[in-house]
Structure formats: C-alpha cells, structure tokens
Amino acid sequence: PSQIGELSLLSDLMLNNNNFVGTIPSEIGLLKQLSFLLLYKTRLAGTIPTEIGNCVELRDLEIDSNNIGGPLPSELGRLTNVKELVINKNNVNQTIPTEIGLMANLQIASLYSALLTGTLPSELGNCSSLLFLDVGDNLMAGTIPSHIAQLSAMTSLHLYANDFSGTFPTEFAKLPFLADVQLGKTWITGNLDPILCTRSRNSFPTK
C-alpha cells in the first residue's frame, strides 16, 4: 500500500515468497533509511518506480520472480551502496540502463531470464566491485565490451542464450578469479584463451 511511505525509519522490508498483487508504490522512495528491499517470488507487476533512486541507503535489492515490466529506471544509478541487484525472471523487455555503471559497490548483478534487450553496456566495467554478472537467457545482442574485462575481482560471467556475436575479448583471460564463464547458445566466435578453457564450470557457444 502507498501508506508504506509513512514508515520513514524502516530499514528492512522483506515481503518475499507471498501472493501479493499490484505494483511497487512510488512512495517506496520515501523510505530513506531502507537497506534491504526483498520482494522476490510474489505476484507484483508494473514497473520499478523511478523513486527507488531516493533509497540511497539500499544495499540489497531483490525483486526477482515477478511480473515486473520495463523500463529499468536510470535512477538505479543513484543506488551506489547496493551490493546485490537481483531482477531475474521478470518481463522487463527493455535495455540495461547505462547508469548501472554508477553502482560503485555492486557485487552481484543477477538479470537472467528478464526479457532484456539491447546490448551489454560498457559502463558495467566501472562497477569495480562486481563479482558475479548473469544476463543469460535474454534477448540481448551485440559484441562483448572489452571494458568489462577490467573487473579484476570478477569470478562469474554468464552471457548464455543471447544473440551476442563477435569474438570474446582476450582481456578476460587476465582476470585472476574468473572461473565460471557461460557462453553457450550465443553467436560468439573465434578462439578462446586456453586458460579460460581449463578453468572449471566454463561452457562455450553451441549455436
């Protein structure tokens, strides 16, 4: 309900695994102390309100497994304290905003199976804390930006089941902790560095 905006001191809002219907109210943006917003596995629809960008203390935003549509608001870039962004299994059907690159503390970006379109923004390479990126099983295309290969802490990169094309940037082989690369069911071509091929849990194009 919109009255939730009156809970100005609320820090944790965890309503996951319920049968809520309706939309995320814009009044969510009044919760300036909110650190955890967990709304996954409900029946929420609509879009992510732009007012979410006012929740600058947010550290964990999980709204996966819903019927949320797009676009993803550019105001997400104001959430510089967020470490986990989980939007997978929704009906976004829009692009990833370039402002995601402003999320300096982002460690986990789980965006798979969300009907995402467009290209992978090179601005993701500015998320220097990023460990896990999953945009698998979407409608994305284009080449893989080499700028993302600057993420020295990255351990997992999932790009599978998209229409990505071109060669896989050789710079990724220099990432010391990257041990989980999923490129299956894409159009990525060329030779992959043997170092990546020998690391565990990696899979490569099969289209």
Side-chain angles (χ1 to χ4, degrees):
S2 60
Q3 290 84 353
I4 201 165
E6 299 174 9
L7 305 176
S8 59
L9 298 179
L10 188 67
S11 63
D12 299 354
L13 182 57
M14 303 176 183
L15 301 176
N16 47 287
N17 293 297
N18 279 293
N19 290 314
F20 292 118
V21 295
T23 62
I24 302 173
S26 60
E27 289 80 3
I28 201 81
L30 298 174
L31 305 181
K32 302 296 179 61
Q33 304 300 318
L34 196 62
S35 293
F36 294 87
L37 180 57
L38 309 183
L39 302 176
Y40 60 86
K41 293 184 179 179
T42 67
R43 298 168 60 189
L44 291 171
T47 61
I48 301 174
T50 59
E51 290 81 0
I52 195 76
N54 296 328
C55 302
V56 293
E57 296 299 324
L58 261 182
R59 288 182 287 166
D60 193 346
L61 175 57
E62 301 183 32
I63 57 172
D64 53 298
S65 303
N66 282 296
N67 296 308
I68 302 293
L72 297 179
S74 61
E75 287 77 5
L76 286 173
R78 297 179 60 189
L79 304 179
T80 56
N81 290 311
V82 165
K83 293 183 178 181
E84 292 192 38
L85 177 64
V86 185
I87 306 180
N88 49 267
K89 294 185 178 180
N90 276 294
N91 301 313
V92 174
N93 200 27
Q94 294 280 347
T95 61
I96 300 174
T98 58
E99 288 81 2
I100 197 171
L102 300 174
M103 303 178 76
N105 288 297
L106 188 63
Q107 295 180 358
I108 296 174
S110 183
L111 308 172
Y112 70 86
S113 300
L115 297 180
L116 290 169
T117 61
T119 59
L120 200 60
S122 62
E123 288 80 0
L124 274 166
N126 298 328
C127 300
S128 58
S129 299
L130 195 61
L131 304 173
F132 179 92
L133 174 62
D134 190 347
V135 296
D137 192 26
N138 279 298
L139 304 172
M140 303 182 71
T143 58
I144 309 304
S146 59
H147 190 47
I148 297 177
Q150 298 178 19
L151 300 173
S152 59
M154 179 173 281
T155 62
S156 299
L157 178 64
H158 295 180
L159 306 176
Y160 62 89
N162 278 287
D163 284 330
F164 293 124
S165 59
T167 58
F168 191 63
T170 58
E171 292 88 347
F172 280 102
K174 300 176 183 178
L175 300 184
F177 306 110
L178 185 60
D180 181 14
V181 179
Q182 305 291 333
L183 305 178
K185 296 184 179 179
T186 67
W187 299 105
I188 294 173
T189 59
N191 296 319
L192 293 162
D193 192 292
I195 293 177
L196 287 174
C197 296
T198 58
R199 290 176 180 168
S200 62
R201 295 190 296 169
N202 292 343
S203 70
F204 301 108
T206 57
K207 275 189 178 179

